Amino acid sequence: MTQPLRNDTLLRALLREPTEYTPVWLMRQAGRYLPEYVETRARAGSFMRLCKTPALACEATLQPLARFRLDAAILFSDILTVPDAMGLGLYFAENEGPRFERPLREEWAIRDLEAPDPWEHLRYVMDAAAEVRRALADAAPLIGFAGSPFTLACYMVEGGAGGGEFRHLKTMLYDRPDLLHRILAVNAEAVARSLNAQIESGAQAAMLFDTWGGSLTGPAFREFSLMYIQQVVANLIREKDGRRVPTIVFVKGGGAWLEAIADCGCDAVGLDWTADLGAARARVGGRVALQGNLDPSALLASPEAIVREARAVLDAFGPGDTGHVFNLGHGVSRFTPPEHVGALVDAVHEYSRAGRAK
Ligand code: 1CP
């Protein structure tokens, strides 16, 4: 590996401490666009077996770092392992995405819902985190993650991806907000426990994915998503082994609520590609770092176009030597040619390093 040892650039940028260049990692950096991932997944037999076998999850986590000069590893797992640990029965139907055997719709089932003990029911996640952390040997920091309480509830109530419409979830939100609040309170507890266990197991930063918060109205976002994100963040371990453990909150489609999200207690806010980074920076005024926000589709284009678009993102953030973590605005597309990711990572490093020298 060509990674310099003890690369803590990501952690410093998240805490708005000076860095020599802008660190970069990509959401879904391990995944189906990598042939070696497809091979590992085939060997595992299924996506869930891959998640539940720490040696294989560790292998998948490290694959993108062996190829590209990425500044972070993100644990290979899934946000839906938490509701699976609550007994909802997660499975992946071929080419149909995630499904739950027992969606949460009945009042009695919602009353019975409990936050699982991660050391018992998510032991495989913690074992994978510990194994990755040992294997990394500080070559790059490890990011642990979880879904936001609201995004998890979307899948739990729909029983699957829900096509982005979330008919059952939205009906519950307007008709029985008390039931939805009960699910969200349990999820907030479960997510905080899972993230803390990941931190205890070796994760050096924690990220919350609120993929579906942007489907809510402003008032509903505050009441059903942001309030519970705040609760999770307030309950996280903030320091481990003498170092602050930074937290990142990503709300897809949340650009309109940036100030409120920046005030949730997190260290950094992730932005999708619809946000203007420069304007976002002015709006948060140095309260938090920003992560993002290249359109993932740009990675389908030629390396020349990728370099141009990467520079445009760095220029949009503007001058300075910290506070920006380069990422995509959402996950890597499975149709991305792997060498395009290499071109992106190198372009971000070179252009931002040159910018620091000015
Ligand atoms: O191999 C396969 O067929 C599975 C594809 C896949 C992968 C690679 C799934 C199923 N999950 C993952 C890994 C994953 N998921 C990671 C690993 C670390 C990395 O980023 O490299 C992470 C962080 C996630 C998080 C995740 N899972 C989110 C939040 C981020 C996002 O993309 O918005 C969500 C919504 C999920 C649910 C999920 N799991 C898998 C799929 C295909 C989905 C999305 C389903 C949908 O469209 O609603």
Side-chain angles (χ1 to χ4, degrees):
M1 274 211 310
T2 43
Q3 286 281 350
L5 268 180
R6 304 208 149 266
N7 176 0
D8 64 352
T9 314
L10 171 92
L11 301 178
R12 283 187 279 133
L14 288 173
L15 297 173
R16 286 166 291 124
E17 296 166 9
T19 62
E20 301 75 47
Y21 59 86
T22 302
V24 49
W25 70 278
L26 307 183
M27 293 190 264
R28 294 277 174 99
Q29 62 190 22
R32 281 185 288 183
Y33 75 103
L34 289 177
E36 57 271 35
Y37 168 81
V38 175
E39 193 272 322
T40 304
R41 187 184 189 278
R43 207 157 12 100
S46 71
F47 176 72
M48 282 313 285
R49 281 253 61 81
L50 175 49
C51 289
K52 291 189 174 181
T53 312
L56 295 179
C58 176
E59 188 177 303
T61 303
L62 297 175
Q63 282 168 347
L65 282 95
R67 272 189 188 249
F68 316 117
R69 301 166 72 93
L70 291 158
D71 294 291
I74 178 159
L75 183 64
F76 189 85
S77 191
D78 199 83
I79 63 166
L80 301 177
T81 56
V82 167
D84 183 56
M86 292 171 169
L88 272 65
L90 175 63
Y91 67 100
F92 283 80
E94 209 47 55
N95 295 321
E96 282 187 53
R99 288 277 182 83
F100 286 111
E101 284 164 24
R102 293 171 286 282
L104 254 194
R105 309 230 179 105
E106 307 296 335
E107 186 155 355
W108 64 264
I110 294 169
R111 298 269 168 240
D112 282 355
L113 193 70
E114 280 180 39
D117 176 354
W119 297 107
E120 191 180 335
H121 299 285
L122 292 166
R123 185 92 216 181
Y124 61 93
V125 175
M126 310 314 150
D127 289 346
E131 195 164 331
V132 171
R133 180 67 193 278
R134 275 194 301 276
L136 279 169
D138 287 338
L142 174 63
I143 302 171
F145 71 90
S148 72
F150 176 74
T151 288
L152 293 184
C154 289
Y155 290 94
M156 292 160 76
V157 174
E158 293 306 317
E165 188 191 2
F166 306 119
R167 194 155 50 86
H168 300 284
L169 184 283
K170 290 259 175 119
T171 307
M172 186 186 288
L173 184 151
Y174 291 112
D175 272 345
R176 291 297 306 271
D178 60 313
L179 291 185
L180 185 54
H181 276 300
R182 156 88 191 141
I183 298 173
L184 294 167
V186 176
N187 285 358
E189 176 68 34
V191 163
R193 283 189 199 169
S194 167
L195 285 173
N196 281 338
Q198 291 177 54
I199 293 166
E200 297 283 7
S201 303
Q204 292 148 293
M207 174 149 167
L208 271 175
F209 288 90
D210 192 13
T211 304
W212 300 114
S215 68
L216 293 170
T217 64
F221 172 70
R222 281 163 213 267
E223 178 179 348
F224 296 96
S225 188
L226 189 59
M227 189 173 96
Y228 293 94
I229 289 176
Q230 240 156 4
Q231 246 177 57
V232 172
V233 173
N235 285 313
L236 293 183
I237 297 170
R238 299 315 284 265
E239 208 179 289
K240 178 91 197 316
D241 303 330
R243 266 203 99 127
R244 188 167 167 89
V245 181
T247 54
I248 311 161
V249 172
F250 171 67
V251 181
K252 184 156 183 287
W257 314 312
L258 177 61
E259 291 86 349
I261 298 167
D263 284 338
C264 80
C266 62
D267 296 290
V269 174
L271 294 166
D272 68 34
W273 63 90
T274 62
D276 178 276
L277 261 189
R281 187 182 186 186
R283 284 166 65 192
V284 300
R287 271 177 293 165
V288 289
L290 295 173
Q291 175 173 281
N293 71 341
L294 182 74
D295 177 0
S297 302
L299 283 178
L300 303 175
S302 65
E304 294 72 39
I306 292 168
V307 171
R308 185 186 70 224
E309 294 302 314
R311 290 179 175 186
V313 169
L314 290 164
D315 286 338
F317 182 79
D321 63 359
T322 191
H324 181 209
V325 170
F326 198 102
N327 205 313
L328 304 180
H330 201 201
V332 182
S333 153
R334 60 181 291 198
F335 302 107
T336 302
E339 63 276 16
H340 288 192
V341 171
L344 172 68
V345 170
D346 292 344
V348 171
H349 285 161
E350 283 163 27
Y351 191 67
S352 62
R353 205 184 273 282
R356 300 284 197 281
K358 272 181 205 158

